[in-house]
Amino acid sequence: MNHSVGNTGRLLAAGLRALLVLTLVCGVLYPLAVTGIAQLAFPGRANGSELRDADGRTVGSSLIGQTYLAGDAPDLRWFQPRPSNGLGANSANTRYDLLLSGATNRSGDNADLIGWVTDAKAAVVRDNSVAGHTVRPEDVPADAVTSSGSGLDPHISPEYARLQVHRVAARNGLPVARVDRLVAAHTDGRILGFVGEPRVNVLELNVALRELTGRQ
């Protein structure tokens, strides 16, 4: 009986030592090592890919989209992101308020989804048609009227960005060619030349637009 108790005690002691070692290695040393390497090798990404404006203020993360509103309506001075109910309003472009993430999870023939897309297309045509330039319904790309799977996509297609150029130029008193060059400068190609699709980060583009209009 005493021999059995002794074995049990030794097993408990060994188990406790293993727990302490694993806690130290996996719970302290490994996280510190990974954090340190990330801070040295990729400090921007490790800290949330924060984006700062010309004044050094953090205006958001380049990984998370934002909305640009004037009250409950889109603020048409800015480039608009993909439709989403998951993004907080940020017309000042100095902060964001993340509300939720998720897709609509509706099929392509769902009546509600069809209605949303139809209304969104009409709004895109209406908002982006300005004097001397009319947007045709067939020119509206899919990402202008549908949300991403997460609802937090920070990017739009170059086609959607270019569709907004005339409206942004008119609302800000800028030459169309200047705004078009701004979009081109903020258009990223496919990763490694073949992965993904060309894209435009809306937050980065609007930060550049604000700096441009501030110099006018």
Side-chain angles (χ1 to χ4, degrees):
M1 186 68 179
N2 290 337
H3 181 69
S4 176
V5 172
N7 287 338
T8 301
R10 285 192 293 273
L11 289 173
L12 288 175
L16 180 59
R17 286 195 297 271
L19 175 62
L20 292 175
V21 170
L22 290 173
T23 299
L24 178 64
V25 173
C26 299
V28 179
L29 297 180
Y30 178 74
L32 287 176
V34 171
T35 301
I37 293 172
Q39 288 292 340
L40 289 174
F42 311 103
R45 295 181 182 179
N47 293 321
S49 298
E50 293 180 341
L51 186 64
R52 300 179 184 276
D53 62 13
D55 297 323
R57 295 176 298 181
T58 299
V59 296
S61 168
S62 61
L63 302 177
I64 301 176
Q66 299 183 19
T67 53
Y68 301 83
L69 303 176
D72 294 328
D75 188 339
L76 299 180
R77 297 173 301 169
W78 304 104
F79 285 92
Q80 294 296 312
R82 298 183 67 167
S84 176
N85 293 324
L87 303 180
N90 180 13
S91 59
N93 196 22
T94 58
R95 64 180 179 83
Y96 69 90
D97 181 18
L98 185 61
L99 299 180
L100 55 91
S101 173
T104 59
N105 199 31
R106 286 170 169 79
S107 63
D109 60 355
N110 179 269
D112 289 337
L113 180 61
I114 293 173
W116 295 339
V117 170
T118 301
D119 292 344
K121 178 176 285 191
V124 169
V125 170
R126 180 187 66 247
D127 291 344
N128 291 282
S129 294
V130 297
H133 177 79
T134 300
V135 175
R136 301 175 301 175
E138 58 267 30
D139 294 333
V140 178
D143 62 307
V145 296
T146 58
S147 63
S148 64
S150 68
L152 307 178
D153 193 347
H155 299 101
I156 57 176
S157 65
E159 291 77 17
Y160 186 28
R162 288 194 293 268
L163 182 145
Q164 302 182 61
V165 163
H166 283 80
R167 182 254 300 161
V168 169
R171 293 279 177 161
N172 290 282
L174 296 170
V176 170
R178 183 67 187 87
V179 180
D180 196 45
R181 290 196 299 271
L182 194 68
V183 170
H186 288 82
T187 298
D188 296 321
R190 292 179 173 86
I191 300 172
L192 300 178
F194 66 92
V195 178
E197 296 293 333
R199 62 209 180 280
V200 178
N201 188 289
V202 181
L203 175 58
E204 294 177 0
L205 179 60
N206 278 333
V207 169
L209 173 64
R210 187 174 68 176
E211 294 175 3
L212 178 63
T213 56
R215 293 196 296 269
Q216 299 303 308

